[in-house]
C-alpha cells in the first residue's frame, strides 16, 4: 500500500482534483441551456463530428497505404522517411504558423504565386469557412500522419515474411496478399489505433486554433477550441460545460478502447 | 539538544515573521520597451518606498482577460490587475457582479485632476449594492485615428491635398482611385483600406462603433435604456453595417480582415499590404519612432524608421460625417481593478494611489510614445503632445472633446463588446452573404437579449 501511495497522490492531485473542479465549475444547468442556445455551439458540434470522421479516416487510409511504401528496404526510401517524419517531430506552433503564413490570402506565398502566374486572386484559404475547415483537417493529417504511419509500419514489420513467401508461391497478387495476409494481421492494430486517434483528435486544439483561431466569425471552432472562446468572453462555466458536453463522445471511445485492449491482453495470456 | 531545538524554533519563527510582504500584480505587456521599463521603474520605486515585493506578471492584451478570469475563478485573484481591454470588455460586468473593490477613497480626492469623460468609464454600477462607485482606476486613454502611407499615395499619383474631406467621397477615393492608381503604378496586389473586422478583436468593434458615431447612431440613452427599436436607429445601424462591409465587397479591404486580431492591421500596414487603416491608437506610427531609436537595428534601418515616422506616414482624423458635420470621437479609458477577494487589498490600494501620481503615471503613459493619451490634465498639457507631427493630431482630436462608450451607461454592453456583436454583423454580410438588414435584425435581437 505504501508503494502505491505516490501513484495515488499523483492521481488525486493531477487527475481527480482537476476533473472534479472542472465538473464543479460546470455544475450550473443554466450554463447548458445558454450553451445549447448559442448557434456557434451547434456549428461547433457539426464541425467536430465532420473533423473527426474525415480527418481520422482519411489519415488512417493514407497511413495504411504509406506504411506499405515505407517498409520497403531501400536506401532512398529510408532517407525519404526521415523527411516524412519531420512534420510530426517538429513543434506544433512554428509548423502550423508556417502553413498559416503560406496560405494567407493576401501575402502568403501560395496566393502570391497564383497572382504572379495568372494575374488572378487565389482562393480565400483561411477566410472562407468551408475552405478553412478543410485546411484545418489537412493540417491535422499532415501533422499526425507520420506517427500513425510509423505505428502501422511497425505492425507490418511484425508480420512473418514466410506468409508473404507462401502467398507468392501460391501465385497471389499484391491485392490478394494485402487482403489475406496484411489486413488480417493489421486489423486489430488499425482499429485500436483509429479509436485512440479519435480520442486524440477530439482534443486536437493546435491544428484548428493555430491555423484559423476559430475564425472567420467563429465558424471553424471544434469542441477543443470552443472553450477558449468562452474563457475570452469571461464565461468559464460555459467553457467547462463545453468539455462536459464532449464527454459523451469521449467516454464511449475510451471504454471501447480499454475493452479492446483488455480483450487483446486476455487473448495473448 | 534543547539549544538546538530552541534555535530551530527561532529560525522558523524568524522565517515567518520576516517573510517579505508581496503584492501580486497582473499587467498588460507594453508595445514598446520604454513602456515596460517605465512600469518596471514605477514598481521598483514602490518596492523601495514600501518594502513590499511586487510580483509582476505581464500578459498580452488578448491574454489579459482569460488570465484574470482564470485567477478569479480559481479563488486566487491578483491584488492589482490592469488590462488594455478591461474597460470595454469586463470591468463593468465585474463591478455589476460585486467582484470589485470600491476605489472612491483614492479617486474622489483626485477628481479635479482628471480630464472630462475619464472618470465616467470607472464610475460603475454594483448591482449587488445597487450603488455606483469608482470600481476601477483609469490609467490612459485612446481614440480612433487614420494612418496612411504618403509615399504609396504619391506613387498612386495623388497628393495629400487630393484626399476628399466628405464621408462618401473620402472612402471612394481610397477604394477606387488610390488603390487602382497604386496597383497600376507598382504592379503589386495591395489593398487600400485596412478595416479590422475580426470577431476576436477590439479594433474591429472600436472601428465599427466609430462608423456608427459617424451615422449619429446612439443605441442607448443616457439612462442606459436601449433605443434599438427606434426606426431611425435601426436605419442608422443598417447604413453603418452596409458601409463598413462595403469595402470588402468592392475589393479594397483584404479578405483576411474578417480574421484579423488587434495587431493584424498594424502588420499589414507595416508590410505595405494596405495603404491606410483606422486604428484606435497611433501604435502604427509609434512603432517607427521606437525603431529609429533602437540600438538593436542597423544605422540604415534606423534611418529608414526615422523617414517612415517623420516623412512617409501620416496620422489624421476621420472625414466629415455623412451629414457633413465634424466627427466627435469616442474615447476609451484603459482601466485596472482591485478584486474584492484579493489577498492584499490594503497594499493594492497603496500601489494604485502611487501609480496614479503624475510623477509615476506620466513616464508610463509617455513611454508608449503617444499610443496612449493621458487621463490627467497635467499629463495632457505637456509639450510631449504638441511637439510631434503625429501626437499633435491625437492631442487635437482629444482636445475637441470626446464621448464615452455605451457601456458607461449600460454595463451589459461590455458583454456585447466582448462577444463583438458588431463585427459579427459585418461578418454575416461578408462571410454569410446576408443583407445588412438581416444582419442588423440579428444584432438588435442579441442587444435586446443581453442589455434590454
Amino acid at each position: 500500500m505504501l508503494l502505491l501511495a505516490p501513484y495515488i497522490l499523483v492521481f488525486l492531485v493531477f487527475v481527480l482534483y482537476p476533473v472534479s473542479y472542472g465538473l464543479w465549475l460546470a455544475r450550473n444547468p443554466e450554463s447548458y441551456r445558454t450553451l445549447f442556445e448559442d448557434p456557434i455551439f451547434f456549428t461547433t458540434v457539426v464541425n467536430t463530428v465532420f473533423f473527426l470522421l474525415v480527418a481520422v479516416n482519411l489519415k488512417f487510409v493514407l497511413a495504411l497505404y504509406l506504411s506499405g511504401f515505407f517498409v520497403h528496404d531501400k536506401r532512398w526510401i529510408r532517407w525519404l522517411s526521415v523527411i516524412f517524419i519531420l512534420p510530426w517531430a517538429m513543434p506544433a506552433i512554428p509548423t502550423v504558423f508556417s502553413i498559416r503564413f503560406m496560405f494567407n490570402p493576401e501575402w502568403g506565398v501560395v496566393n502570391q504565386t497564383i497572382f504572379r502566374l495568372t494575374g488572378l486572386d487565389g482562393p480565400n484559404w483561411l477566410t472562407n469557412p468551408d475552405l478553412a475547415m478543410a485546411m484545418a483537417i489537412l493540417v491535422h493529417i499532415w501533422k499526425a500522419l507520420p506517427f500513425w504511419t510509423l505505428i502501422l509500419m511497425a505492425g507490418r514489420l511484425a508480420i512473418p515474411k514466410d506468409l508473404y513467401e507462401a502467398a507468392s508461391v501460391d501465385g497471389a497478387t499484391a491485392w490478394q496478399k494485402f487482403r489475406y495476409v496484411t489486413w488480417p494481421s493489421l486489423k486489430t492494430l488499425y482499429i485500436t489505433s483509429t479509436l485512440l486517434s479519435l480520442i486524440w483528435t477530439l482534443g486536437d486544439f493546435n491544428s484548428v486554433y493555430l491555423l484559423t483561431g476559430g475564425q472567420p466569425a467563429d465558424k471553424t471552432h471544434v469542441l477543443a477550441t470552443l472553450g477558449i472562446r468562452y474563457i475570452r468572453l469571461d464565461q468559464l462555466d460555459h467553457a467547462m460545460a463545453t468539455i462536459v458536453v464532449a464527454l459523451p463522445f469521449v467516454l464511449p471511445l475510451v471504454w471501447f478502447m480499454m475493452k479492446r485492449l483488455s480483450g487483446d491482453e486476455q487473448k495473448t495470456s | 539538544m534543547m539549544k538546538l531545538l530552541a534555535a530551530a524554533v527561532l529560525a522558523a519563527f524568524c522565517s515567518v515573521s520576516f517573510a517579505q510582504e508581496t503584492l501580486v500584480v497582473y499587467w498588460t505587456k507594453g508595445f514598446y520597451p520604454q513602456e515596460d521599463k517605465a512600469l518596471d521603474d514605477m514598481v521598483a520605486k514602490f518596492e523601495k518606498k514600501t518594502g513590499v515585493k511586487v510580483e509582476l506578471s505581464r500578459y498580452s492584451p488578448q491574454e489579459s482577460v482569460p488570465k484574470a478570469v482564470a485567477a478569479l475563478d480559481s479563488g486566487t485573484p491578483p491584488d492589482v490587475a490592469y488590462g488594455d481591454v478591461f474597460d470595454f470588455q469586463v470591468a463593468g460586468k465585474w463591478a455589476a457582479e460585486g467582484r470589485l473593490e470600491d476605489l472612491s477613497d483614492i479617486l474622489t480626492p483626485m477628481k479635479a485632476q482628471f480630464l472630462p469623460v475619464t472618470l465616467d468609464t470607472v464610475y460603475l454600477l454594483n448591482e449587488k449594492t445597487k450603488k455606483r462607485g469608482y470600481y476601477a482606476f483609469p490609467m490612459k486613454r485612446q481614440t480612433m485615428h487614420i494612418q496612411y502611407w504618403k509615399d504609396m499615395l504619391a506613387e498612386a499619383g495623388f497628393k495629400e491635398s487630393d484626399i476628399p474631406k466628405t464621408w462618401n467621397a473620402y472612402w471612394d477615393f481610397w477604394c477606387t482611385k488610390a488603390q487602382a492608381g497604386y496597383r497600376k503604378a507598382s504592379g503589386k496586389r495591395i489593398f487600400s483600406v485596412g478595416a479590422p473586422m475580426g470577431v476576436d478583436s477590439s479594433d474591429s468593434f472600436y472601428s465599427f462603433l466609430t462608423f456608427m458615431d459617424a451615422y449619429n447612431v446612439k443605441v442607448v440613452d443616457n439612462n442606459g435604456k436601449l433605443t434599438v427599436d427606434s426606426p431611425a436607429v435601426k436605419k442608422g445601424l443598417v447604413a453603418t453595417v452596409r458601409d463598413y462591409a462595403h469595402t470588402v465587397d468592392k475589393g479594397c479591404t483584404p479578405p483576411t480582415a474578417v480574421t484579423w486580431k488587434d495587431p493584424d492591421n498594424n502588420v499589414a500596414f507595416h508590410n505595405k499590404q494596405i495603404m491606410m487603416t483606422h486604428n484606435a491608437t497611433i501604435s502604427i506610427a509609434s512603432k517607427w519612432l521606437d525603431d529609429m531609436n533602437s540600438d538593436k537595428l542597423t544605422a540604415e534601418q534606423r534611418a529608414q524608421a526615422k523617414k517612415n515616422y517623420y516623412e512617409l506616414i501620416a496620422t489624421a482624423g476621420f472625414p466629415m460625417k455623412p451629414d457633413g458635420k465634424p466627427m466627435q470621437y469616442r474615447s476609451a479609458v484603459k482601466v485596472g481593478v482591485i478584486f474584492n477577494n484579493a489577498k492584499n487589498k490594503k497594499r493594492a490600494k497603496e500601489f494604485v494611489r502611487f501609480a496614479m501620481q503624475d510623477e509615476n503615471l506620466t513616464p508610463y503613459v509617455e513611454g508608449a510614445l503617444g499610443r496612449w493619451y493621458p487621463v490627467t490634465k497635467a499629463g495632457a498639457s505637456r509639450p510631449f503632445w504638441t511637439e510631434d507631427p503625429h501626437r499633435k493630431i491625437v492631442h487635437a482630436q482629444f482636445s475637441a472633446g470626446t464621448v464615452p462608450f455605451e457601456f458607461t451607461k449600460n454595463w451589459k454592453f461590455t458583454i456585447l463588446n466582448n462577444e463583438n456583436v458588431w463585427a459579427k454583423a459585418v461578418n454575416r454580410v461578408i462571410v454569410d452573404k446576408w443583407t445588412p438588414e438581416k444582419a442588423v435584425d440579428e444584432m438588435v435581437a442579441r442587444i435586446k437579449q443581453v442589455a434590454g
Side-chain angles (χ1 to χ4, degrees):
Chain A
M1 192 60 196
L2 198 63
L3 288 173
L4 278 177
Y7 300 102
I8 292 171
L9 193 68
V10 166
F11 178 77
L12 289 176
V13 174
F14 294 105
V15 179
L16 199 65
Y17 172 71
V19 169
S20 309
Y21 184 59
L23 291 173
W24 182 78
L25 284 173
R27 70 194 181 284
N28 186 357
E30 185 65 14
S31 308
Y32 296 91
R33 195 184 62 76
T34 47
L35 186 69
F36 295 144
E37 277 176 7
D38 186 351
I40 289 162
F41 174 73
F42 179 72
T43 309
T44 301
V45 171
V46 173
N47 285 347
T48 307
V49 173
F50 182 75
F51 191 91
L52 282 177
L53 290 179
V54 176
V56 173
N57 285 308
L58 198 55
K59 180 173 65 185
F60 270 87
V61 169
L62 284 170
L64 185 63
Y65 176 76
L66 288 170
S67 63
F69 169 73
F70 283 116
V71 287
H72 287 114
D73 191 20
K74 289 199 170 94
R75 196 179 164 80
W76 69 273
I77 290 179
R78 279 204 300 274
W79 278 108
L80 191 64
S81 66
V82 172
I83 298 167
F84 174 72
I85 214 155
L86 279 178
W88 172 68
M90 297 282 282
I93 291 176
T95 48
V96 180
F97 272 175
S98 67
I99 293 179
R100 182 173 164 167
F101 296 152
M102 278 167 62
F103 285 93
N104 181 291
E106 284 98 47
W107 45 264
V109 67
V110 175
N111 277 13
Q112 285 289 346
T113 308
I114 291 172
F115 184 72
R116 258 200 301 277
L117 295 176
T118 65
L120 300 172
D121 289 347
N124 291 327
W125 302 105
L126 304 176
T127 54
N128 173 309
D130 298 333
L131 260 182
M133 203 64 220
M135 290 300 295
I137 289 172
L138 278 180
V139 165
H140 169 85
I141 292 174
W142 173 77
K143 191 92 184 78
L145 186 62
F147 175 79
W148 293 113
T149 305
L150 271 183
I151 297 292
L152 295 181
M153 268 173 72
R156 280 181 186 264
L157 290 169
I159 302 170
K161 283 208 168 62
D162 333 357
L163 294 177
Y164 289 106
E165 285 164 10
S168 296
V169 169
D170 289 343
T173 62
W175 167 247
Q176 284 169 327
K177 282 182 198 167
F178 174 80
R179 172 78 181 78
Y180 297 106
V181 179
T182 311
W183 179 245
S185 312
L186 274 185
K187 196 169 72 179
T188 306
L189 177 66
Y190 185 92
I191 293 171
T192 308
S193 299
T194 305
L195 283 173
L196 189 60
S197 175
L198 274 170
I199 296 166
W200 286 355
T201 306
L202 191 60
D204 182 13
F205 175 83
N206 290 340
S207 303
V208 179
Y209 200 79
L210 297 178
L211 189 74
T212 71
Q215 305 306 318
D218 289 320
K219 281 176 177 293
T220 59
H221 276 294
V222 288
L223 284 172
T225 62
L226 191 65
I228 285 288
R229 173 179 177 264
Y230 288 121
I231 290 175
R232 183 172 60 75
L233 297 178
D234 187 18
Q235 295 168 353
L236 196 67
D237 53 337
H238 287 83
M240 298 317 295
T242 308
I243 294 165
V244 172
V245 166
L247 290 180
F249 287 96
V250 181
L251 292 180
L253 288 172
V254 173
W255 180 82
F256 194 57
M257 201 188 70
M258 296 311 290
K259 205 168 159 56
R260 281 188 67 83
L261 287 176
S262 58
D264 290 347
E265 215 164 79
Q266 276 168 11
K267 274 183 209 164
T268 50
S269 62
Chain B
M1 186 63 191
M2 285 303 285
K3 277 182 186 171
L4 199 65
L5 192 65
V9 170
L10 189 65
F13 173 75
C14 289
S15 70
V16 171
S17 59
F18 295 115
Q20 199 176 10
E21 186 182 358
T22 57
L23 185 75
V24 179
V25 176
Y26 285 10
W27 211 270
T28 299
K29 188 165 168 38
F31 256 38
Y32 313 108
Q34 296 92 318
E35 199 177 351
D36 285 339
K37 187 184 173 303
L39 180 65
D40 287 339
D41 291 347
M42 186 203 291
V43 165
K45 272 171 73 182
F46 179 77
E47 285 181 330
K48 197 174 168 194
K49 186 183 165 210
T50 59
V52 175
K53 170 83 188 133
V54 175
E55 287 178 4
L56 176 65
S57 302
R58 286 189 171 97
Y59 300 108
S60 71
Q62 250 106 17
E63 266 187 318
S64 58
V65 173
K67 290 288 179 190
V69 168
L72 197 58
D73 282 295
S74 65
T76 53
D79 296 310
V80 179
Y82 166 82
D84 282 351
V85 292
F86 279 5
D87 57 330
F88 38 53
Q89 292 189 246
V90 281
K93 181 171 179 272
W94 286 338
E97 291 168 351
R99 291 176 151 195
L100 300 180
E101 187 69 7
D102 189 345
L103 306 178
S104 298
D105 54 332
I106 300 174
L107 297 178
T108 307
M110 297 176 69
K111 219 169 166 180
Q113 297 173 30
F114 290 105
L115 288 162
V117 177
T118 307
L119 287 182
D120 293 352
T121 304
V122 293
Y123 193 60
L124 302 167
L125 177 70
N126 179 335
E127 287 199 338
K128 288 202 167 158
T129 60
K130 303 287 176 204
K131 282 183 186 163
R132 279 187 177 264
Y134 293 113
Y135 283 104
F137 59 92
M139 290 298 285
K140 50 204 187 186
R141 301 166 77 193
Q142 66 180 141
T143 194
M144 187 57 68
H145 323 280
I146 281 174
Q147 311 224 269
Y148 57 86
W149 284 105
K150 293 187 219 172
D151 57 334
M152 290 178 87
L153 189 65
E155 201 173 337
F158 298 99
K159 303 186 291 293
E160 285 186 271
S161 56
D162 293 329
I163 303 172
K165 302 279 186 287
T166 57
W167 188 262
N168 287 334
Y170 182 88
W171 298 108
D172 275 348
F173 168 81
W174 285 107
C175 220
T176 52
K177 292 181 180 170
Q179 178 170 306
Y182 187 83
R183 282 189 174 196
K184 196 174 172 195
S186 67
K188 288 179 188 161
R189 185 177 162 267
I190 59 90
F191 297 85
S192 52
V193 182
M197 294 173 176
V199 172
D200 187 8
S201 143
S202 61
D203 276 352
S204 61
F205 68 71
Y206 207 139
S207 284
F208 179 88
L209 293 171
T210 303
F211 270 57
M212 213 166 84
D213 294 339
Y215 280 94
N216 301 316
V217 179
K218 298 213 181 309
V219 290
V220 66
D221 66 17
N222 286 337
N223 299 318
K225 202 164 164 273
L226 295 182
T227 58
V228 286
D229 281 331
S230 147
V233 169
K234 222 165 194 175
K235 194 177 161 199
L237 282 173
V238 169
T240 308
V241 170
R242 179 177 288 120
D243 207 5
Y244 200 83
H246 190 48
T247 53
V248 172
D249 294 339
K250 286 187 80 176
C252 18
T253 289
T256 44
V258 292
T259 61
W260 277 358
K261 290 178 190 283
D262 285 341
D264 290 329
N265 62 329
N266 297 36
V267 172
F269 187 89
H270 294 314
N271 292 331
K272 293 196 165 179
Q273 288 294 323
I274 50 177
M275 299 176 83
M276 66 91 88
T277 185
H278 22 103
N279 204 39
T281 65
I282 57 162
S283 60
I284 286 171
S286 304
K287 176 237 187 295
W288 298 108
L289 177 60
D290 181 46
D291 280 3
M292 73 187 229
N293 296 311
S294 170
D295 55 10
K296 289 178 186 145
L297 300 179
T298 64
E300 292 77 30
Q301 286 170 324
R302 285 199 297 271
Q304 184 60 50
K306 189 175 181 181
K307 193 174 178 191
N308 287 349
Y309 188 75
Y310 285 111
E311 296 172 35
L312 302 186
I313 294 174
T315 295
F318 273 62
M320 294 292 177
K321 297 193 288 186
D323 65 5
K325 292 181 180 154
M327 283 286 294
Q328 190 177 23
Y329 299 91
R330 58 173 63 214
S331 70
V333 181
K334 308 288 99 184
V335 305
V337 296
I338 297 175
F339 294 109
N340 60 9
N341 60 339
K343 288 194 175 61
N344 199 349
K345 283 194 283 194
K346 183 175 156 276
R347 288 294 192 187
K349 282 194 167 184
E350 204 176 328
F351 180 80
V352 169
R353 195 174 281 117
F354 182 80
M356 298 299 301
Q357 300 306 311
D358 267 319
E359 66 267 27
N360 299 318
L361 190 56
T362 300
Y364 173 66
V365 174
E366 292 184 1
L369 309 177
R371 185 170 172 240
W372 304 115
Y373 193 73
V375 288
T376 61
K377 291 170 187 165
S381 63
R382 287 167 56 82
F384 178 84
W385 291 101
T386 49
E387 291 175 348
D388 175 277
H390 298 280
R391 292 197 289 261
K392 71 179 181 192
I393 304 287
V394 176
H395 185 60
Q397 285 179 275
F398 274 102
S399 302
T402 58
V403 289
F405 274 69
E406 291 78 9
F407 63 80
T408 59
K409 290 154 191 158
N410 180 334
W411 71 266
K412 287 176 179 167
F413 273 84
T414 55
I415 300 174
L416 294 164
N417 290 340
N418 212 350
E419 284 182 16
N420 209 339
V421 288
W422 324 106
K424 210 171 268 179
V426 172
N427 274 251
R428 283 294 198 194
V429 174
I430 297 166
V431 178
D432 297 330
K433 307 295 174 203
W434 282 18
T435 62
E437 287 80 5
K438 193 178 169 192
V440 166
D441 283 344
E442 185 186 58
M443 180 210 277
V444 165
R446 186 62 185 155
I447 291 173
K448 283 160 79 172
Q449 188 182 6
V450 172

